Amino acid sequence: MKKSVDAKRFFIDYKYYVKPRYLERLTLIQMGERFCSSEAGYPEHEQICFEITYVYNGAAVNTINGKPYRMPAGTFNFSYPAQKHSIFAEGGDMRYFFLGFVPDESHPLYSELKRLASSNEPIYAADTFHTHSAFLDAILNLETENHLSDFVLVNCINQILCNFLRSYYREPNYVLKYDGATEIILFNILSYLDENFLEFHNLNALADKLGYSASHLSHVFTAAMQKSPTAYVLNKKLEYAVQLLKEDNVPPTEIARLTGYDSIHSFSKAFKKRYGLSPLHYKSEKK
């Protein structure tokens, strides 16, 4: 595995070109993530396998056979052998995930993926299933090769592929509805916040889905959880920051940006209030 890191960019790349990693009905060729500062990225190269590229934060310009396409955050690109593609950050910092693989003919999604590849067209889709969490879980399980981590890894990869196809076919991401029952409303709010806490600003997006006002959803949540949605999201962001601090490749300044803080100072202040230590002290103590 190759890992390279600097203050502005990091790149985690698990490569299996020489010795492909066989999982259940799928061969893993490459998987990882890259953080690019403005105008940085990965140069044009020819595909040797199927690949899912997913922009997590920022925006990218992705080329397919020399033709540029814009990829905002939450966009999939599906590329396939013989295509040439590249990806570069557009106008600011950008983070993306990638998954290179070869499915067996027995894989349940083989025919769908093969059919898309036979179109000889650029394939893009706007994610409607919060797929970044599946990528993160997959990457966390890549290094430990045992039957448990492999089981998780296979399920994460299959979820990524399913989410891509469902997004491409524009299947809706359903929420539960049951006569306005408080329990179902709370379930929907929690599910939304847990999946979208990094991008959360207010409840308007979920309110539009459920057909209730944002103030009503906030009231239901606060009464049940004894904290506001904003406080709940703040706690989720700080828990996520703790996970990232345990990874050597993510500097505190980048963690502050990823978790939505305007400055390292405001991030450090919130972190110290929650955990009693500054992010740097916490990181050094947990090594």
Side-chain angles (χ1 to χ4, degrees):
M1 179 190 69
K2 175 186 175 184
K3 289 185 179 181
S4 59
V5 180
D6 65 30
K8 290 183 179 289
R9 295 176 290 275
F10 66 84
F11 186 23
I12 299 176
D13 190 1
Y14 289 79
K15 292 181 177 179
Y16 304 100
Y17 300 144
V18 176
K19 187 179 178 181
R21 183 172 176 181
Y22 185 73
L23 301 168
E24 184 181 342
R25 293 188 283 187
L26 181 145
T27 301
L28 187 59
I29 303 299
Q30 185 180 18
M31 190 171 195
E33 63 173 310
R34 181 189 285 264
F35 173 77
C36 303
S37 57
S38 181
E39 309 306 322
Y42 202 78
E44 185 178 75
H45 57 285
E46 186 168 331
Q47 282 300 98
I48 61 171
C49 61
F50 291 163
E51 183 172 316
I52 298 285
T53 305
Y54 179 89
V55 176
Y56 182 23
N57 283 320
V61 174
N62 182 51
T63 65
I64 299 294
N65 295 332
K67 186 174 180 179
Y69 298 85
R70 186 175 186 273
M71 293 180 64
T75 303
F76 293 102
N77 168 237
F78 173 62
S79 54
Y80 37 88
Q83 280 190 327
K84 293 182 178 180
H85 78 149
S86 67
I87 185 168
F88 287 88
E90 180 191 58
D93 295 338
M94 184 266 291
R95 182 183 183 188
Y96 72 94
F97 301 112
F98 50 90
L99 164 64
F101 64 100
V102 177
D104 290 358
E105 290 188 10
S106 62
H107 192 283
L109 301 179
Y110 175 83
S111 60
E112 294 278 0
L113 297 168
K114 195 73 173 177
R115 187 184 66 79
L116 288 181
S118 69
S119 69
N120 292 320
E121 296 291 334
I123 304 293
Y124 294 91
D127 180 28
T128 55
F129 294 92
H130 317 297
T131 306
H132 62 271
S133 59
F135 272 106
L136 291 169
D137 286 344
I139 290 169
L140 287 171
N141 282 277
L142 275 169
E143 193 159 299
T144 305
E145 297 189 26
N146 59 45
H147 71 287
L148 294 177
S149 61
D150 282 357
F151 182 81
V152 174
L153 181 56
V154 166
N155 280 283
C156 287
I157 290 174
N158 284 332
Q159 182 181 352
I160 291 166
L161 298 181
C162 282
N163 286 1
F164 157 66
L165 288 170
R166 295 178 75 186
S167 297
Y168 179 76
Y169 293 125
R170 298 184 180 181
E171 290 188 11
N173 187 358
Y174 293 104
V175 294
L176 292 176
K177 294 184 179 180
Y178 184 68
D179 298 332
T182 299
E183 293 83 359
I184 298 301
I185 294 175
L186 183 61
F187 171 86
N188 286 324
I189 299 171
L190 282 168
S191 298
Y192 180 83
L193 294 181
D194 286 346
E195 291 289 344
N196 297 278
F197 66 92
L198 289 176
E199 297 85 22
F200 175 80
H201 299 292
N202 52 57
L203 284 173
N204 289 338
L206 185 57
D208 290 341
K209 276 189 174 185
L210 295 182
Y212 295 98
S213 69
S215 60
H216 177 66
L217 298 185
S218 181
H219 173 75
V220 169
F221 186 90
T222 303
M225 302 297 292
Q226 300 301 302
K227 63 177 66 176
S228 69
T230 300
Y232 181 83
V233 166
L234 174 61
N235 191 57
K236 291 284 296 182
K237 287 182 176 181
L238 293 175
E239 288 175 353
Y240 181 58
V242 166
Q243 294 178 32
L244 293 178
L245 283 168
K246 294 176 181 178
E247 300 179 18
D248 291 338
N249 58 321
V250 190
T253 51
E254 169 59 9
I255 295 174
R257 191 192 70 81
L258 287 173
T259 49
Y261 286 90
D262 295 332
S263 66
I264 186 65
H265 174 74
S266 58
F267 168 62
S268 297
K269 184 177 179 180
F271 190 93
K272 187 172 183 179
K273 183 178 180 180
R274 173 69 171 81
Y275 293 103
L277 295 169
S278 71
L280 285 175
H281 286 155
Y282 186 94
K283 188 177 182 72
S284 63
E285 286 201 0
K286 297 300 177 181
K287 282 188 175 181

